[in-house]
Amino acid sequence: MRQIARHPFFLVCLSILPLLFLFSLACGEKTTEAEYYDTSFFAMDTYITLRLGQTDAEGQPLPKDLLQQASKEGEDTVYAIEKALSATDPAGEVYALNQNIDLMANPSETLLSAVATAFDLSEQTGGAFDPTLGALVRLWNVTGGGPVPPDDAIRETLVHTGLDKIKINGHTLVKSDAKTNLDLGGIGKGFAAQELLQNLMNAGIPYGLVSLGGNIGVFGEKPDGQTFKIGVRDPDAADSVVGYLYLTGGFVSVSGDYERYFEEEGKRYHHILDPVTGYPAESGLRSVACWSPNGACADALSTALFVMGVERGLAFYQNSTLSFEAVFLTDDGNMILTDGLVGTGLFEAASDTYRLLDTAEEPGR
Ligand code: ADP
Ligand code: MG
């Protein structure tokens, strides 16, 4: 896994295959290839695809230069967001903030807005989503293949995490602990998906779809009148789905233990960290797919719900004012839905591997 995952060719294959699969589902039955103007590129550590509807409400083709221009602007938007939010690119703003500094004056509007959104969602999730885990993410080095860090190093790193260590002060980011590092990896792609969709709608694109890794956004009405059909993949089989979400709009983000991980002594260490223990979250889940009308929210919540697990996640769903729905897949083979997906036609189960629990059977009820 370690060596293969590092090889660019395999990375390309691993990223493209699930993507194509997802798209073939996302098109719906009657939609033809010709109705979309597609652009794909690599950014934010993943393959990104923009699918722009090519016909207007009367079925007339849109001008090619409008589609080209909107796609190009979308691509540029993603590069700008990547530059602002990257913790690994030395040219990135978060990389600069993560140096041993006390203050960053005049961060870009993009960074300020992403940090404000991330902090808000962190507070609302009681810290399950924590954008200040930068040093811990680096210590674990999951994408680089580990190894498992010593326990005392984990505890020492946790001392420097927490929302209280970084403040937004007007147009300045102030660190009260110079060692605190941001990592917006759990929200960046959803944040970018949100911006992209807004841009495409503003550019006059009537309907379409954007996909950034495990984050998908859809908008507008397709000419065939059908909803967008999004497959939720089986954690153990990239080519099969456990069910479908039927969407008229909004964003779906998936967080799973199969996305990025390494193995040591037969145990899997994945990339979603529990901010309390400092270890990969062991909440009894394989994955969470989260829908929300807001892209950053869908992304941050898929991560947060994964950390919370089913019981805390469902309690959070009941009490939160955030608008979202979720599909939980547990490591003992159950599929659990939030209320808005039960009996509403928004979700269709399609799996033998995961047993859809009756709402009465769901833990925490
Ligand atoms: P993806 O890798 O597809 O973006 P997620 O959206 O679930 O998956 O985000 C996981 C990433 O977020 C990790 O790779 C890490 O950079 C960061 N992260 C890990 N744990 C947390 C957490 N508890 N809160 C916020 N961000 C986290
Ligand atoms: Mg996420």
Coordinates of all heavy atoms in Angstrom, one line a residue, residues 1 142-143 233-237 254-263 266-273 280-289 302-303 305-307 327-333 354:
M1 N 0.8 -1.2 0.0 CA 0.0 0.0 0.0 C 0.9 1.3 0.0 O 0.7 2.1 -0.8 CB -0.9 0.0 1.2 CG -1.7 1.3 1.5 SD -2.9 1.6 0.2 CE -3.2 3.3 0.5
V142 N 0.1 10.1 7.7 CA -0.7 8.9 7.2 C -0.4 8.8 5.7 O -0.2 7.7 5.2 CB -2.2 9.1 7.5 CG1 -3.0 8.0 6.8 CG2 -2.4 8.9 9.0
T143 N -0.5 9.9 5.0 CA -0.3 9.9 3.5 C 1.1 9.4 3.1 O 1.3 8.8 2.1 CB -0.5 11.2 2.8 OG1 -0.6 12.2 3.8 CG2 -1.8 11.2 2.0
R233 N -20.3 4.7 -2.2 CA -19.5 3.5 -2.4 C -19.3 2.6 -1.2 O -19.4 3.0 -0.1 CB -18.2 3.8 -3.1 CG -17.0 4.1 -2.3 CD -15.7 3.9 -3.0 NE -15.1 2.8 -2.3 CZ -13.8 2.6 -2.2 NH1 -12.9 3.4 -2.8 NH2 -13.3 1.5 -1.5
D234 N -19.1 1.3 -1.5 CA -18.8 0.3 -0.5 C -17.4 0.5 -0.1 O -16.5 0.5 -0.9 CB -19.0 -1.1 -1.2 CG -18.8 -2.2 -0.2 OD1 -18.0 -2.1 0.8 OD2 -19.4 -3.3 -0.4
P235 N -17.1 0.6 1.2 CA -15.8 0.9 1.7 C -14.8 -0.2 1.3 O -13.6 0.1 1.1 CB -15.9 0.9 3.2 CG -17.3 1.3 3.5 CD -18.1 0.7 2.3
D236 N -15.3 -1.4 1.0 CA -14.3 -2.5 0.6 C -14.3 -2.8 -0.8 O -13.6 -3.7 -1.3 CB -14.7 -3.8 1.4 CG -14.3 -3.6 2.9 OD1 -13.2 -3.2 3.1 OD2 -15.2 -4.0 3.7
A237 N -15.1 -2.1 -1.6 CA -15.1 -2.4 -3.1 C -15.4 -1.1 -3.8 O -16.5 -0.6 -3.9 CB -16.2 -3.4 -3.4
V254 N -17.9 12.5 1.5 CA -17.7 11.2 2.1 C -16.4 11.2 2.9 O -15.4 11.6 2.3 CB -17.7 10.1 1.1 CG1 -17.6 8.7 1.8 CG2 -19.0 10.1 0.3
S255 N -16.4 10.7 4.1 CA -15.2 10.5 4.9 C -15.2 9.0 5.2 O -16.2 8.5 5.8 CB -15.1 11.3 6.2 OG -15.0 12.6 5.9
G256 N -14.0 8.3 5.0 CA -14.0 6.9 5.3 C -12.6 6.5 5.7 O -11.6 7.2 5.4
D257 N -12.5 5.3 6.3 CA -11.2 4.8 6.8 C -10.4 4.2 5.7 O -9.3 3.7 5.9 CB -11.4 3.8 8.0 CG -12.0 2.5 7.5 OD1 -12.4 2.3 6.4 OD2 -12.1 1.6 8.4
Y258 N -11.0 4.1 4.5 CA -10.4 3.4 3.4 C -9.7 4.4 2.4 O -9.1 4.1 1.4 CB -11.4 2.6 2.6 CG -12.6 3.5 2.1 CD1 -12.6 4.2 0.9 CD2 -13.8 3.6 2.9 CE1 -13.6 5.0 0.5 CE2 -14.8 4.4 2.5 CZ -14.7 5.1 1.3 OH -15.8 5.9 0.9
E259 N -9.9 5.7 2.7 CA -9.4 6.7 1.7 C -7.9 6.9 1.8 O -7.2 6.8 0.8 CB -10.1 8.1 2.0 CG -11.6 8.1 1.7 CD -12.2 9.4 2.2 OE1 -12.0 9.9 3.3 OE2 -13.0 10.0 1.4
R260 N -7.4 7.2 3.0 CA -6.0 7.3 3.2 C -5.6 6.6 4.5 O -6.2 6.9 5.5 CB -5.6 8.8 3.3 CG -5.8 9.6 2.1 CD -5.8 11.1 2.4 NE -6.5 11.8 1.4 CZ -6.0 12.7 0.6 NH1 -4.7 13.0 0.7 NH2 -6.7 13.3 -0.4
Y261 N -4.7 5.6 4.4 CA -4.3 4.9 5.6 C -3.0 4.2 5.4 O -2.6 4.0 4.3 CB -5.4 3.9 6.0 CG -5.6 2.8 5.0 CD1 -4.9 1.6 5.1 CD2 -6.5 3.0 3.9 CE1 -5.1 0.6 4.1 CE2 -6.7 2.0 3.0 CZ -6.0 0.8 3.1 OH -6.2 -0.2 2.1
F262 N -2.4 3.7 6.5 CA -1.3 2.8 6.4 C -1.6 1.7 7.4 O -2.4 1.8 8.3 CB 0.0 3.5 6.7 CG 0.2 4.0 8.1 CD1 0.8 3.2 9.0 CD2 -0.2 5.3 8.4 CE1 1.0 3.6 10.3 CE2 0.0 5.7 9.7 CZ 0.6 4.9 10.7
E263 N -0.9 0.6 7.2 CA -1.0 -0.5 8.2 C 0.3 -0.8 8.9 O 1.3 -0.7 8.3 CB -1.5 -1.8 7.4 CG -3.0 -1.7 7.2 CD -3.6 -2.8 6.2 OE1 -2.8 -3.7 5.9 OE2 -4.7 -2.7 5.9
G266 N -0.6 -5.3 11.3 CA -1.9 -5.8 11.0 C -3.1 -4.8 11.4 O -4.2 -5.1 11.2
K267 N -2.7 -3.6 11.8 CA -3.8 -2.7 12.2 C -3.8 -1.5 11.3 O -2.7 -1.1 10.8 CB -3.5 -2.2 13.7 CG -4.7 -1.4 14.3 CD -4.4 -1.3 15.8 CE -5.1 0.0 16.4 NZ -6.5 0.1 16.3
R268 N -5.0 -1.1 11.0 CA -5.2 0.1 10.0 C -5.2 1.4 10.8 O -5.9 1.6 11.7 CB -6.5 -0.1 9.2 CG -6.8 1.0 8.3 CD -8.0 0.8 7.5 NE -8.0 -0.3 6.6 CZ -8.8 -0.4 5.6 NH1 -9.7 0.5 5.3 NH2 -8.7 -1.5 4.8
Y269 N -4.3 2.3 10.3 CA -4.3 3.7 10.8 C -4.7 4.6 9.7 O -4.0 4.8 8.8 CB -2.9 4.0 11.4 CG -2.5 3.1 12.5 CD1 -1.8 1.9 12.3 CD2 -2.8 3.5 13.8 CE1 -1.5 1.1 13.4 CE2 -2.5 2.6 14.9 CZ -1.8 1.4 14.7 OH -1.5 0.6 15.7
H270 N -5.9 5.2 9.9 CA -6.5 6.0 8.8 C -6.3 7.5 9.2 O -5.8 7.9 10.2 CB -7.9 5.7 8.5 CG -8.8 5.9 9.7 ND1 -9.2 7.1 10.2 CD2 -9.3 5.0 10.6 CE1 -9.9 6.9 11.3 NE2 -10.0 5.6 11.5
H271 N -6.8 8.4 8.2 CA -6.4 9.8 8.3 C -7.4 10.7 9.1 O -7.2 11.9 9.1 CB -6.2 10.3 6.9 CG -7.5 10.4 6.1 ND1 -8.5 9.4 6.1 CD2 -8.0 11.4 5.3 CE1 -9.5 9.8 5.4 NE2 -9.3 11.0 4.9
I272 N -8.4 10.1 9.7 CA -9.4 10.9 10.4 C -9.1 10.8 11.9 O -9.3 9.7 12.5 CB -10.8 10.6 10.1 CG1 -11.0 10.7 8.5 CG2 -11.8 11.4 10.8 CD1 -12.3 10.0 8.0
L273 N -8.6 11.9 12.4 CA -8.0 11.8 13.8 C -9.0 12.3 14.8 O -9.8 13.2 14.6 CB -6.7 12.7 13.9 CG -5.7 12.3 12.9 CD1 -4.5 13.3 12.9 CD2 -5.2 10.9 13.1
P280 N -6.2 7.9 15.3 CA -7.2 7.8 14.3 C -8.5 7.4 15.0 O -8.5 6.5 15.9 CB -6.7 6.7 13.4 CG -5.3 6.8 13.5 CD -5.0 7.2 14.9
A281 N -9.6 8.1 14.6 CA -10.9 7.9 15.3 C -11.3 6.4 15.3 O -11.3 5.8 14.2 CB -12.0 8.7 14.7
E282 N -11.7 5.9 16.4 CA -12.2 4.5 16.5 C -13.7 4.6 17.0 O -13.9 4.3 18.2 CB -11.4 3.6 17.4 CG -10.0 3.4 16.9 CD -9.2 2.3 17.6 OE1 -9.8 1.2 17.8 OE2 -8.1 2.5 18.0
S283 N -14.5 5.0 16.1 CA -15.9 5.2 16.5 C -16.9 4.1 16.0 O -18.1 4.3 16.0 CB -16.3 6.6 15.9 OG -16.1 6.6 14.5
G284 N -16.3 3.1 15.5 CA -17.1 2.0 15.0 C -17.7 2.2 13.6 O -18.6 1.5 13.1
L285 N -17.1 3.1 12.8 CA -17.5 3.4 11.5 C -16.5 3.1 10.4 O -15.3 3.1 10.7 CB -17.9 4.9 11.4 CG -19.1 5.4 12.1 CD1 -19.2 6.9 12.0 CD2 -20.4 4.8 11.6
R286 N -17.0 2.7 9.2 CA -16.2 2.6 8.1 C -16.3 3.9 7.2 O -15.3 4.3 6.7 CB -16.7 1.4 7.2 CG -16.6 0.0 7.8 CD -15.2 -0.3 8.2 NE -14.2 0.0 7.3 CZ -13.9 -0.8 6.2 NH1 -14.6 -1.9 5.9 NH2 -13.0 -0.4 5.3
S287 N -17.5 4.5 7.1 CA -17.6 5.7 6.4 C -18.9 6.5 6.8 O -19.8 5.9 7.3 CB -17.6 5.5 4.9 OG -18.8 5.0 4.5
V288 N -18.8 7.8 6.5 CA -20.0 8.6 6.6 C -20.2 9.4 5.3 O -19.2 10.1 4.9 CB -19.9 9.6 7.7 CG1 -21.2 10.5 7.8 CG2 -19.6 9.0 9.1
A289 N -21.3 9.4 4.7 CA -21.6 10.3 3.6 C -22.6 11.3 4.1 O -23.6 11.0 4.7 CB -22.3 9.5 2.4
S302 N -18.9 15.5 7.4 CA -18.5 14.1 7.2 C -17.4 13.7 8.1 O -17.4 12.6 8.6 CB -18.3 13.8 5.7 OG -17.1 14.4 5.3
T303 N -16.4 14.6 8.2 CA -15.3 14.3 9.1 C -15.7 14.2 10.6 O -15.4 13.3 11.3 CB -14.2 15.4 8.9 OG1 -13.9 15.6 7.5 CG2 -12.9 15.1 9.7
L305 N -18.7 13.7 11.9 CA -19.6 12.6 12.2 C -18.8 11.3 12.3 O -19.2 10.4 13.0 CB -20.7 12.5 11.1 CG -21.7 13.7 11.1 CD1 -22.6 13.6 9.9 CD2 -22.6 13.6 12.4
F306 N -17.8 11.2 11.4 CA -16.9 10.0 11.5 C -16.3 9.9 12.9 O -16.2 8.9 13.5 CB -15.9 10.0 10.4 CG -15.1 8.7 10.3 CD1 -15.5 7.8 9.3 CD2 -14.1 8.4 11.2 CE1 -14.8 6.6 9.2 CE2 -13.5 7.2 11.1 CZ -13.8 6.3 10.1
V307 N -15.8 11.1 13.4 CA -15.2 11.1 14.7 C -16.3 10.8 15.8 O -16.0 10.0 16.8 CB -14.6 12.5 15.0 CG1 -14.1 12.6 16.4 CG2 -13.4 12.7 14.0
V327 N -25.5 9.2 5.9 CA -25.5 7.8 5.8 C -24.3 7.2 6.5 O -23.2 7.5 6.1 CB -25.5 7.3 4.3 CG1 -25.6 5.8 4.2 CG2 -26.6 7.9 3.5
F328 N -24.5 6.5 7.6 CA -23.4 5.9 8.4 C -23.3 4.4 8.0 O -24.2 3.7 7.9 CB -23.7 5.9 9.9 CG -23.9 7.3 10.5 CD1 -25.2 7.9 10.4 CD2 -22.9 8.0 11.1 CE1 -25.4 9.1 11.0 CE2 -23.1 9.2 11.7 CZ -24.3 9.8 11.6
L329 N -22.0 4.0 7.7 CA -21.8 2.6 7.5 C -20.9 2.1 8.7 O -19.8 2.7 8.9 CB -21.0 2.4 6.2 CG -21.8 2.8 4.9 CD1 -20.9 2.4 3.7 CD2 -23.1 2.0 4.8
T330 N -21.4 1.2 9.4 CA -20.6 0.8 10.6 C -19.7 -0.4 10.4 O -19.9 -1.2 9.4 CB -21.6 0.4 11.8 OG1 -22.2 -0.9 11.5 CG2 -22.6 1.4 12.0
D331 N -18.7 -0.6 11.2 CA -17.8 -1.7 11.0 C -18.4 -3.1 11.4 O -17.8 -4.1 11.1 CB -16.4 -1.5 11.7 CG -16.6 -1.3 13.2 OD1 -17.7 -1.5 13.7 OD2 -15.6 -0.8 13.8
D332 N -19.6 -3.1 11.9 CA -20.3 -4.4 12.1 C -21.4 -4.6 11.0 O -22.3 -5.4 11.2 CB -20.8 -4.6 13.5 CG -21.6 -3.4 14.0 OD1 -21.9 -2.5 13.2 OD2 -22.1 -3.5 15.2
G333 N -21.2 -3.8 9.9 CA -22.1 -4.2 8.8 C -23.5 -3.5 8.7 O -24.3 -4.0 8.0
Y354 N -24.2 -4.3 3.6 CA -24.6 -3.5 4.8 C -26.1 -3.6 5.0 O -26.9 -3.5 4.0 CB -24.2 -2.0 4.5 CG -22.7 -1.9 4.7 CD1 -21.9 -2.1 3.7 CD2 -22.2 -1.5 6.0 CE1 -20.5 -2.0 3.8 CE2 -20.8 -1.4 6.2 CZ -20.0 -1.6 5.1 OH -18.6 -1.5 5.3

